[in-house]
């Protein structure tokens, strides 16, 4: 158990809809990262928050947004969903910024868009 | 543009033998490399890392080798155990940059 909690585990929705994925980091971790893993692909970096502030953006679509709240949990909002958004979405946390502090991943949310 | 490549989608190794997983990268700015292990229905778990100032890092049965001139790293698992059966991801980063770039993974199967 990594200590990172992601909800829901599975989500099935229709094209054009909007969903929210939730992540609770490990206790004491200030950094939260979101990654997307499509079929047979590596994990693609989406966005990083540190202590409530956005620190870095990767290949995140304009239809996607995220935030980190004062209690350090984070939400990833996906809107106007398309079939191609079907993927595993992982949240990870670490104590510090940067990668000398290894990331601890949650078990992911599997999103299926029909 | 796949900057981190794991060219072997799968690998089968007999229990007790050495498993060698390979990873190539194209961006010479990468200076920190990590290996993650992933079981089905779980998130990736950090395994071992290496900084570009080193060419080897060892942790128990796991050793990572870095060849900067060849832009190549490898993970050695000795001896391989059934519990090592998983997908292994190689990842790389640039100091000061928050983005961690992952390879597509290699599925390792240990044969009892």
């Amino acid at each position: 158990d990594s200590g990172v909690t992601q909800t829901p585990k599975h989500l099935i929705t229709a094209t054009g809809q909007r969903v929210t994925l939730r992540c609770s980091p490990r206790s004491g971790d200030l950094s939260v990262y979101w990654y997307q893993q499509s079929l047979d692909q590596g994990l693609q970096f989406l966005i990083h928050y540190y202590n409530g502030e956005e620190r870095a953006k990767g290949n995140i679509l304009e239809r996607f947004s995220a935030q980190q709240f004062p209690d350090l949990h984070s939400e990833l909002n996906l809107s106007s969903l398309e079939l191609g958004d079907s993927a595993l979405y992982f949240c990870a946390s670490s104590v510090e910024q940067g990668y000398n502090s290894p990331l601890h991943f949650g078990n992911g949310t599997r999103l299926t868009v029909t | 543009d796949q900057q981190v490549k794991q060219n072997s989608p799968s690998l089968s190794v007999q229990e007790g033998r050495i498993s060698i997983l390979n990873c190539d990268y194209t961006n010479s700015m990468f200076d920190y490399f990590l290996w993650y292990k992933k079981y089905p229905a779980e998130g990736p778990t950090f395994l071992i890392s290496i900084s570009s100032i080193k060419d080897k890092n060892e942790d128990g049965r796991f050793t990572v080798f870095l060849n900067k001139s060849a832009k190549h790293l490898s993970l050695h698992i000795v001896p391989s155990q059934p519990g090592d059966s998983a997908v292994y991801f190689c990842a790389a980063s640039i100091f000061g940059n928050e983005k961690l770039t992952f390879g597509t993974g290699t599925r390792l199967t240990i044969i009892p």
Side-chain angles (χ1 to χ4, degrees):
Chain A
D1 182 9
S2 68
V4 178
T5 303
Q6 288 189 249
T7 56
K9 290 185 180 179
H10 301 278
L11 201 47
I12 302 174
T13 189
T15 54
Q17 295 297 305
R18 181 181 190 276
V19 297
T20 297
L21 312 184
R22 184 188 168 98
C23 170
S24 294
R26 288 190 324 161
S27 176
D29 284 0
L30 299 178
S31 268
V32 169
Y33 302 80
W34 286 96
Y35 283 84
Q36 178 194 54
Q37 185 184 18
S38 301
L39 191 62
D40 294 331
Q41 298 293 311
L43 284 77
Q44 302 292 319
F45 170 70
L46 294 178
I47 199 164
H48 168 225
Y49 279 85
Y50 178 78
N51 202 20
E53 293 188 9
E54 181 184 305
R55 289 299 190 185
K57 265 185 175 180
N59 298 324
I60 187 167
L61 299 171
E62 296 239 349
R63 301 182 286 106
F64 295 3
S65 65
Q67 54 184 326
Q68 187 180 26
F69 295 87
D71 67 353
L72 301 177
H73 91 271
S74 178
E75 292 180 356
L76 179 66
N77 301 296
L78 316 177
S79 62
S80 302
L81 285 167
E82 302 175 358
L83 295 177
D85 298 327
S86 295
L88 261 173
Y89 291 85
F90 287 104
C91 168
S93 72
S94 67
V95 173
E96 303 169 355
Q97 301 184 76
Y99 292 105
N100 286 345
S101 177
L103 304 186
H104 300 271
F105 283 83
N107 289 338
T109 293
R110 182 174 293 280
L111 173 65
T112 303
V113 182
T114 62
Chain B
D1 176 28
Q2 192 69 31
Q3 296 187 60
V4 177
K5 301 177 185 178
Q6 294 177 257
N7 292 319
S8 298
S10 62
L11 175 68
S12 294
V13 175
Q14 287 224 302
E15 181 179 359
R17 306 295 292 267
I18 182 171
S19 295
I20 300 176
L21 295 97
N22 294 303
C23 178
D24 296 296
Y25 61 96
T26 57
N27 189 341
S28 58
M29 298 290 290
F30 286 142
D31 57 9
Y32 192 65
F33 304 89
L34 307 91
W35 285 93
Y36 281 81
K37 173 180 177 180
K38 184 182 181 303
Y39 292 119
E42 295 184 9
T45 303
F46 170 72
L47 199 54
I48 192 169
S49 63
I50 187 167
S51 163
S52 61
I53 62 173
K54 294 185 174 182
D55 54 17
K56 176 182 174 181
N57 189 26
E58 196 170 351
D59 183 2
R61 297 186 298 114
F62 302 91
T63 303
V64 55
F65 295 91
L66 175 62
N67 182 334
K68 289 186 290 293
S69 61
K71 294 190 181 69
H72 177 84
L73 66 155
S74 61
L75 174 68
H76 293 210
I77 307 173
V78 182
S80 300
Q81 299 174 354
D84 297 330
S85 294
V87 177
Y88 289 79
F89 289 98
C90 167
S93 71
I94 302 169
F95 182 78
N97 188 322
E98 306 303 333
K99 179 181 175 180
L100 192 59
T101 303
F102 281 84
T104 52
T106 296
R107 182 178 302 278
L108 175 65
T109 302
I110 305 303
I111 304 164

